[in-house]
């Protein structure tokens, strides 16, 4: 009989509806077939983490949906087992990515959820909860099919936006138009944007600015922010027959039949997305090594898992700017 508990570790839990975050001792899970027990060296904070806290109904729930891990145990055979705000978690072997030796765990922790969401949105299968079905850059034709075609990415300074721009560049879209605060023009350009428009432009001014850049119809828009205003602006610019990919729930006031809106679920654990996730993670290891994909800037929060609590106030208040907040679970003080 295999042991049911290997060891114990610290994890961040919510124990009741709207209850506080608490760091507690948890029993370390045993990996099943195709799973690996890993030590979490660094975990990224995702705006989804505070949103989850607001609607969860099952307790206790361990939190965290982004991580970078160090292989810790042997291969063997869901929510608390895979949560990343803990010292050890379970992950599926298929979803592992080998990071380059030159990359820190903190840098790598900026990548998982922020990159998989645009990857699925753009290249995932055209199925419910899937993606727009574009040919991925790692597939035959993926470097030629979109050459010279425009793409619009709302929110080029956000983590998701920075990866979406990098994918658009790999797909050879051109021009790659994005929106950001002017202070982030250089950042967007370094990711691959050819044009960065001020995100404070009005809906009509934004449409005029895009039309001045390209006369071609915009048939793909990735809205990495997806608040009501960005959705409206993006949908307004989207050409008939085109697809708007949004990362939050739809908030459009009016729609027409000839424009598709796709809400992306950036998880490789959803059956609709397992194919694209496996393909993407296979590609990602090489792309990180070659420098084709580079991580976002990071800010390390002190206190290990205790840093999550204050850290999650920042995406809530809109005060995270062009960087990913990271905690290091091994630095958590005793509970
Ligand atoms: N569907 C999914 O699977 C999935 C997965 C992960 C995240 N998400 C969601 O995706 C969204 C982005 O997450 P993130 O982690 O990438 O955010 P983030 O990095 O925290 O975004 C911060 C950036 O957003 C930009 N921004 C804010 N409002 C904007 C606007 N109206 N127009 C253009 N840019 C704007 C700001 O750019 P400036 O500094 O240039 O002003 C800021 O730097 C969140 O709502 C998150 O919940 C969804």
């Amino acid at each position: 009989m295999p042991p049911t508990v290997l060891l114990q570790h610290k994890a961040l839990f919510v124990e009741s509806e709207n209850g506080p975050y608490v760091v507690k001792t948890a029993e370390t899970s045993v990996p099943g077939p195709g799973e690996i027990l890993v030590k979490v060296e660094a975990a990224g904070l995702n705006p989804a983490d505070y949103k989850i806290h607001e609607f969860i109904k099952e307790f206790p729930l361990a939190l965290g949906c982004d991580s970078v891990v160090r292989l810790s145990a042997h291969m063997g055979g869901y929510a608390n087992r895979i949560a990343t705000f803990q010292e050890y978690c379970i992950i599926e072997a298929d979803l592992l990515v080998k990071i380059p030796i030159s990359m820190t765990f903190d840098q790598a922790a900026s990548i998982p959820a922020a990159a998989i969401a645009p990857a699925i949105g753009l290249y995932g299968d055209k199925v419910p909860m899937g993606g727009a079905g574009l040919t991925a850059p790692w597939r035959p034709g993926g470097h030629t099919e979109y050459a010279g075609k425009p793409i619009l990415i709302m929110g080029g300074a956000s983590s998701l936006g920075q990866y979406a721009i990098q994918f658009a560049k790999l797909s050879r879209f051109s021009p790659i138009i994005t929106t950001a605060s002017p202070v982030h023009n250089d950042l967007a350009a370094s990711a691959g944007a050819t044009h960065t428009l001020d995100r404070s432009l009005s809906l009509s001014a934004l449409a005029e600015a895009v039309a001045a850049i390209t006369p071609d119809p915009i048939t793909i828009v990735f809205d990495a922010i997806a608040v009501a205003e960005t959705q409206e602006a993006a949908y307004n610019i989207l050409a008939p027959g085109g697809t708007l990919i949004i990362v939050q729930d739809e908030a459009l006031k009016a729609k027409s039949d000839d424009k598709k809106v796709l809400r992306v679920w950036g998880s490789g654990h959803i059956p609709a997305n397992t194919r694209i996730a496996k393909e993407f993670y296979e590609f990602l290891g090489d792309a990180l090594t070659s420098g084709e994909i580079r991580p976002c800037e990071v800010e390390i929060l002190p206190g290990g898992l205790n840093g999550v609590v204050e850290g999650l106030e920042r995406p809530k208040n809109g005060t995270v700017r062009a960087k990913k907040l990271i905690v290091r679970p091994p630095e958590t003080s005793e509970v």
Side-chain angles (χ1 to χ4, degrees):
M1 281 279 285
T4 51
V5 176
L6 280 180
L7 47 104
Q8 293 186 323
H9 65 265
K10 292 190 267 293
L12 187 73
F13 284 99
V14 173
E15 297 186 295
S16 59
E17 196 161 350
N18 297 317
Y21 299 97
V22 272
V23 175
K24 287 185 60 169
T25 300
E27 290 186 350
T28 307
S29 300
V30 174
E35 297 179 336
I36 298 180
L37 175 67
V38 292
K39 180 178 182 192
V40 183
E41 294 286 347
L45 272 63
N46 191 310
D49 291 314
Y50 80 79
K51 296 174 190 170
I52 289 167
H53 181 218
E54 285 169 3
F55 69 74
I56 49 171
K57 299 281 177 226
E58 285 179 30
F59 306 98
L61 185 81
L63 294 172
C65 52
D66 250 330
S67 82
V68 163
V69 296
R70 189 195 292 275
L71 286 191
S72 154
H74 46 273
M75 292 279 292
Y78 188 80
N80 285 359
R81 300 174 80 228
I82 63 168
T84 52
F85 292 149
Q86 53 186 335
E87 292 175 300
Y88 290 87
C89 75
I90 296 289
I91 72 168
E92 290 163 41
D94 284 344
L95 303 182
L96 275 178
V97 177
K98 194 171 171 185
I99 61 170
I101 197 103
S102 57
M103 186 174 285
T104 65
F105 287 131
D106 304 321
Q107 288 176 312
S110 80
I111 300 171
I116 191 73
I120 289 173
L122 293 166
Y123 309 120
D125 293 333
K126 280 189 189 176
V127 294
M129 301 179 91
L134 302 186
T135 306
W138 55 85
R139 293 196 142 205
H143 280 146
T144 50
E145 202 170 329
Y146 310 107
K149 294 188 180 154
I151 188 169
L152 172 63
I153 294 160
M154 306 295 286
S158 67
S159 300
L160 269 67
Q162 291 184 50
Y163 290 107
I165 292 172
Q166 295 185 72
F167 298 148
K169 185 179 175 190
L170 286 173
S171 288
R172 310 279 199 271
F173 278 101
S174 181
I176 299 170
I177 306 167
T178 193
T179 59
S181 295
V183 69
H184 291 136
N185 285 0
D186 289 349
L187 173 83
S190 71
T194 57
H195 300 78
T196 302
L197 300 173
D198 189 335
R199 75 160 165 111
S200 66
L201 287 178
S202 68
L203 193 135
S204 59
L206 187 66
E208 279 169 27
V210 170
I213 293 166
T214 175
D216 294 336
I218 308 284
T219 55
I220 286 284
V221 183
F222 185 89
D223 186 352
I225 306 301
V227 293
E229 308 84 72
T230 60
Q231 290 191 29
E232 291 293 349
Y235 194 78
N236 178 45
I237 291 167
L238 186 70
T243 302
L244 166 62
I245 304 164
I246 52 176
V247 298
Q248 301 204 67
D249 289 344
E250 194 185 307
L252 292 162
K253 288 197 199 90
K255 285 198 297 179
S256 55
D257 290 340
D258 57 0
K259 295 185 185 184
K260 189 171 171 194
V261 180
L262 188 161
R263 201 276 199 214
V264 63
W265 298 92
S267 167
H269 299 284
I270 295 173
N273 297 327
T274 48
R275 179 199 65 80
I276 186 72
K278 282 179 198 169
E279 270 188 29
F280 172 65
Y281 285 133
E282 222 175 281
F283 160 81
L284 183 60
D286 291 339
L288 292 173
T289 302
S290 68
E292 282 180 303
I293 299 286
R294 58 117 216 254
C296 300
E297 288 294 312
V298 296
E299 178 183 332
I300 317 302
L301 301 175
L305 293 171
N306 295 304
V308 173
V309 182
E310 271 183 49
L312 284 181
E313 290 300 314
R314 291 175 53 186
K316 216 190 253 184
N317 302 335
T319 52
V320 180
R321 308 290 303 274
K323 64 170 76 152
K324 191 84 174 160
L325 304 182
I326 304 292
V327 292
R328 295 170 175 162
E331 294 181 0
T332 310
S333 51
E334 285 309 310
V335 288

